[in-house]
């Protein structure tokens, strides 16, 4: 089965925004998609927006929309996220790194009924827990099923950049 595109998953999530109020991103601020993910989460109304980053990049992550930044090298990332959530269930976890070092934590904090979005292939054994879903993403708004979303996204892009609501890395 083909992987869903980043934009089709985003469209589905945004269409169901009422139940999608938490956003957790396991990030490397060196990736362009990390910049975009934080900004789009903020513009979409996600709250809280919890991310991991190096202490050096914490101010940058906050300027892009993160409400909470956890040191990515902390041995207690999962419990730190759970403390911030205080019992709330994250419906979307976006793993911008998506390697063997981040996927287990991302999967652990994804709530039942939630989505773990990965930019690389899954490297974890998730088949045992069918209450959560993993999507490996790619971005392409040129496919016929995503054309309408692409037109909508790009029609707003210039304004978002001019207003400083989106910044490029």
């Amino acid at each position: 089965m083909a992987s869903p595109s980043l934009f089709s998953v985003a469209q589905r999530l945004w269409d169901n925004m009422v139940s999608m109020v938490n956003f957790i991103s396991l990030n490397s601020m060196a990736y362009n998609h990390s910049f975009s993910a934080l900004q789009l989460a903020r513009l979409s109304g996600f709250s809280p927006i919890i991310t991991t980053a190096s202490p050096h990049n914490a101010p940058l992550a906050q300027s892009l929309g993160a409400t909470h930044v956890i040191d990515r090298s902390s041995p207690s990332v999962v419990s730190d996220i759970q403390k911030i959530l205080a019992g709330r269930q994250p419906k979307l976890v976006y793993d911008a790194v998506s390697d063997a070092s981040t996927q287990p934590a991302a999967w652990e904090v994804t709530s039942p009924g939630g989505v773990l979005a990965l930019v690389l292939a899954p490297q974890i054994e998730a088949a045992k827990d069918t209450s959560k879903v993993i999507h490996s993403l790619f971005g392409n708004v040129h496919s016929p099923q995503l054309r309408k979303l692409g037109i909508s996204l790009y029609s707003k892009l210039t304004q978002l950049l001019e207003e400083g609501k989106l910044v490029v890395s």
Side-chain angles (χ1 to χ4, degrees):
M1 171 159 55
S3 296
S5 81
L6 171 62
F7 300 108
S8 67
V9 172
Q11 181 68 56
R12 188 165 47 102
L13 293 171
W14 289 328
D15 287 348
N16 296 295
M17 183 57 85
V18 174
S19 64
M20 306 289 177
V21 294
N22 302 308
F23 182 86
I24 298 170
S25 175
L26 302 181
N27 271 331
S28 168
M29 297 310 294
Y31 300 136
N32 287 331
H33 54 92
S34 298
F35 278 61
S36 300
L38 291 174
Q39 294 175 85
L40 292 172
R42 182 192 69 230
L43 289 169
S44 299
F46 284 92
S47 181
I49 300 170
I50 304 167
T51 192
T52 59
S54 67
H56 170 77
N57 284 322
L60 174 60
Q62 289 174 315
S63 75
L64 296 172
T67 57
H68 300 82
V69 180
I70 298 169
D71 184 341
R72 68 176 183 186
S73 63
S74 169
S76 59
V77 168
V78 170
S79 62
D80 294 342
I81 290 170
Q82 290 168 336
K83 284 179 196 171
I84 293 166
L85 291 172
R88 292 175 287 185
Q89 297 290 303
K91 297 293 185 185
L92 174 60
V93 177
Y94 175 73
D95 187 347
V97 178
S98 295
D99 66 18
S101 72
T102 60
Q103 287 185 22
W107 183 249
E108 187 173 342
V109 299
T110 303
S111 68
V115 174
L116 170 56
L118 302 173
V119 297
L120 298 175
Q123 298 182 28
I124 54 175
E125 178 73 37
K128 296 175 189 168
D129 186 349
T130 59
S131 69
K132 309 174 194 181
V133 178
I134 293 178
H135 288 299
S136 296
L137 308 175
F138 67 93
N140 180 354
V141 297
H142 301 290
S143 63
Q145 66 269 30
L146 297 175
R147 185 79 178 132
K148 183 177 174 184
L149 176 63
I151 291 168
S152 174
L153 174 67
Y154 285 118
S155 73
K156 297 171 181 70
L157 190 57
T158 300
Q159 179 182 352
L160 291 169
L161 290 166
E162 287 173 348
E163 293 174 353
K165 292 181 178 177
L166 279 181
V167 296
V168 293
S169 58

